Amino acid sequence: MSEIESHSAPVDVDDRPNWGRRLLWAGGLFVVVVLATLIASATVPRWWAQRVGDQVDGSITQGTTLGLVYGFVFTFLPIMTLILLLRWRTTWKTGVAALLLGLLLALPNLMTLSIVLGQGNAAHAGDRILDVEAPAFRGGSLAGALVAVLLSAFIAYLMWSRDRARSKERRVRDELRDATAPPPPNEPADP
């Protein structure tokens, strides 16, 4: 046995992933998420409707304006965050971070959506609160979200077309450089 082989570190069998521990953590996280979702579905729609109702205070004009602003901002920011982060890096960790950041930025629209599409008592209570205290907020929010989606699609198209034009320019430049380059010198033949 050589000197190098005798001093090598022993192979550690415990470097393998502990799947039992990982499954336990995943199950615990799943239970926490389910419980948080149940608690949130029972409280968030009513709470959000009261916050919006306090801001609008029964005015149709203010409800429309606030809905447009919330719908636009909290749709445009998440979409652009996803586009820019996934354009910058495309690893799975960046994708997860972009998705979580996008969901965080879209929370006001998601809370409004929980009122509109929700079937529970809190969603129905939130719906009644918005009817009385924040008229036209839901319609304004939808219109703002649609404008944000269209603007985001236009910006994404501009970014895509710019990249396409740059790659085409690079390809043409390389072809011109290859066409104008002097031919390589003749190599002597092997005897």
Side-chain angles (χ1 to χ4, degrees), residues 49-50 52-60 63 115 124-138:
Q50 289 171 345
V52 171
D54 290 344
Q55 293 173 16
V56 173
D57 199 29
S59 169
I60 291 176
I115 294 170
H124 291 305
D127 201 27
R128 289 188 300 273
I129 292 169
L130 288 182
D131 282 341
V132 175
E133 295 183 25
F137 175 78
R138 288 169 288 189

Side-chain angles (χ1 to χ4, degrees), residues 48 52 56 59-76 108-109 112-113 116 130-131 134-149:
W48 178 245
V52 171
V56 173
S59 169
I60 291 176
T61 306
Q62 208 166 333
T64 304
T65 306
L66 190 67
L68 283 169
V69 169
Y70 275 21
F72 180 82
V73 169
F74 296 111
T75 301
F76 184 74
N109 281 348
T112 302
L113 195 62
V116 172
L130 288 182
D131 282 341
F137 175 78
R138 288 169 288 189
S141 184
L142 176 63
L146 292 175
V147 170
V149 167

Side-chain angles (χ1 to χ4, degrees), residues 23-24 27-28 32 35 49 54 78 82 114 116 136-137 140 152 157 164 170:
L23 287 174
L24 185 64
V32 168
L35 288 175
D54 290 344
L82 287 173
S114 75
V116 172
F137 175 78
S152 299
Y157 169 75
R164 199 175 100 199
R170 195 175 310 118

Side-chain angles (χ1 to χ4, degrees), residues 6-185:
S6 66
H7 289 94
S8 63
V11 177
D12 191 9
V13 181
D14 294 336
D15 285 344
R16 295 182 307 223
N18 186 341
W19 288 105
R21 185 180 305 163
R22 287 184 180 185
L23 287 174
L24 185 64
W25 275 101
L29 183 63
F30 178 75
V31 168
V32 168
V33 167
V34 167
L35 288 175
T37 302
L38 289 173
I39 292 169
S41 70
T43 58
V44 169
R46 182 179 287 123
W47 173 83
W48 178 245
Q50 289 171 345
R51 298 295 71 79
V52 171
D54 290 344
Q55 293 173 16
V56 173
D57 199 29
S59 169
I60 291 176
T61 306
Q62 208 166 333
T64 304
T65 306
L66 190 67
L68 283 169
V69 169
Y70 275 21
F72 180 82
V73 169
F74 296 111
T75 301
F76 184 74
L77 286 178
I79 291 173
M80 292 312 295
T81 299
L82 287 173
I83 288 172
L84 293 175
L85 282 178
L86 293 178
R87 178 178 163 82
W88 177 57
R89 294 276 185 198
T90 54
T91 65
W92 71 271
K93 289 179 182 178
T94 307
V96 169
L99 184 63
L100 290 176
L101 186 58
L103 285 173
L104 183 66
L105 290 171
L107 271 179
N109 281 348
L110 294 175
M111 289 186 289
T112 302
L113 195 62
S114 75
I115 294 170
V116 172
L117 299 179
Q119 298 298 319
N121 289 337
H124 291 305
D127 201 27
R128 289 188 300 273
I129 292 169
L130 288 182
D131 282 341
V132 175
E133 295 183 25
F137 175 78
R138 288 169 288 189
S141 184
L142 176 63
L146 292 175
V147 170
V149 167
L150 291 174
L151 181 62
S152 299
F154 180 67
I155 290 172
Y157 169 75
L158 290 178
M159 292 167 66
W160 172 77
S161 66
R162 183 186 67 180
D163 289 346
R164 199 175 100 199
R166 284 183 177 174
S167 67
K168 185 176 182 179
E169 176 190 3
R170 195 175 310 118
R171 190 173 57 247
V172 168
R173 190 179 329 121
D174 291 344
E175 288 173 3
L176 285 174
R177 186 183 62 228
D178 292 344
T180 59

